[in-house]
Amino acid sequence: MIRRLLDPLRLPYRFREIRRRHGTRPFRILDIGAGNHSASVTKHWFPACHYAGVDRDRNYHNDERDFAAMDEFFELDLTQLEFDGIPDASYDVVLLAHVIEHLANGDAVLRGLVPKLKRGGCMYVEFPGPQSLRLPSKKGTLNFHDDTTHVRVFSAAEVAGILVGSGLRVLRARTRRDPRGILLLQVYALRAKQKYGFVPGGVFWDLFGFADEVIADRP
C-alpha cells in the first residue's frame, strides 16, 4: 500500500510527459537506447504499452526479464541512419534519453527518427546541455567530459530547431530542473551512498542543471 502511494514520487522524470498524455492506457513507444533494463523499467510504469527498443547491442545491461518485456527490438547502429526497418507513423512516443550526446551525427539521427512518430504523438529528448561543460567533475558524470563516450554537445535551442525543421511543434525546450530532485537530494544521496558506496554525479543533475530537455509533438 505504502509503495503504491509513493509510486508517483518515484516516476522517472523522462516518463512524466508520457504519463500525463497516456496515463495507464495502451500506447506504442519507440525507446532509442534500450539498454540498462529500460524495457523492464518502462513496462513497470506502463504495463499496457507496446514497447519497441532500438540499440546497437540488445544485450547491453539487459537480462531475460528485459527481453520478455520487449514487444519489438531493432538492433542497429544509429549512426548508419538505416531506419527503414522501423515502420513510419507507428509510435505514440519516441524517447531519446541521453543518446544524442554519444553520436557525432545526432542531429541526423533525430531527423531520421521523426517519421516514426504518429500524428499527435510526442518526442522526448534529454541530453547534457552546454552548461554541463562548466560543472565540476564527479564520478558518475557531472561534467560533460566525465563520460568518455560523450562526443557532441547539443543545446535545447539547437535540438528544438532540428525538430521544428522536421515538421514537429516544440512544446518545451529548456534546462531540466526537477523540483523533486532538488527537494529530495539528501534522500537520493543517502540511498546512492548505501547502494554504490559513493554519491554519483547524477544525484546533482537537477540542482546544477546538467541536462536539457526538448518535448515536441506532431500536430
Side-chain angles (χ1 to χ4, degrees), residues 49-130:
C49 81
H50 177 99
Y51 179 91
V54 179
D55 215 317
R56 184 168 59 181
D57 180 3
R58 75 191 301 268
N59 295 304
Y60 182 69
H61 294 176
N62 284 322
D63 55 29
E64 290 306 315
R65 185 182 62 164
D66 302 303
F67 301 142
M70 297 177 183
D71 299 292
E72 295 179 277
F73 185 81
F74 303 95
E75 192 164 356
L76 54 86
D77 182 345
L78 294 171
T79 63
Q80 299 302 306
L81 306 177
E82 297 174 351
F83 302 136
D84 289 347
I86 304 174
D88 288 344
S90 294
Y91 300 95
D92 302 288
V93 177
V94 175
L95 175 67
L96 296 98
H98 293 275
V99 173
I100 60 173
E101 66 268 27
H102 299 277
L103 310 172
N105 62 343
D107 51 348
V109 170
L110 286 172
R111 294 186 188 97
L113 291 171
V114 165
K116 312 307 170 184
L117 198 60
K118 286 182 179 179
R119 189 165 299 280
C122 77
M123 178 176 281
Y124 178 88
V125 190
E126 184 180 315
F127 46 92

Side-chain angles (χ1 to χ4, degrees), residues 139-166:
K139 186 176 181 181
T141 308
L142 186 56
N143 181 283
F144 181 87
H145 295 295
D146 288 338
D147 188 332
T148 58
T149 67
H150 287 172
V151 298
R152 181 171 171 181
V153 180
F154 289 87
S155 69
E158 180 183 5
V159 170
I162 292 167
L163 298 184
V164 168
S166 299

Side-chain angles (χ1 to χ4, degrees), residues 20-37:
R20 187 188 72 79
R21 285 172 170 263
H22 298 286
T24 58
R25 299 185 301 275
F27 66 94
R28 295 171 62 87
I29 181 170
L30 183 66
D31 186 10
I32 311 301
N36 293 316
H37 310 292

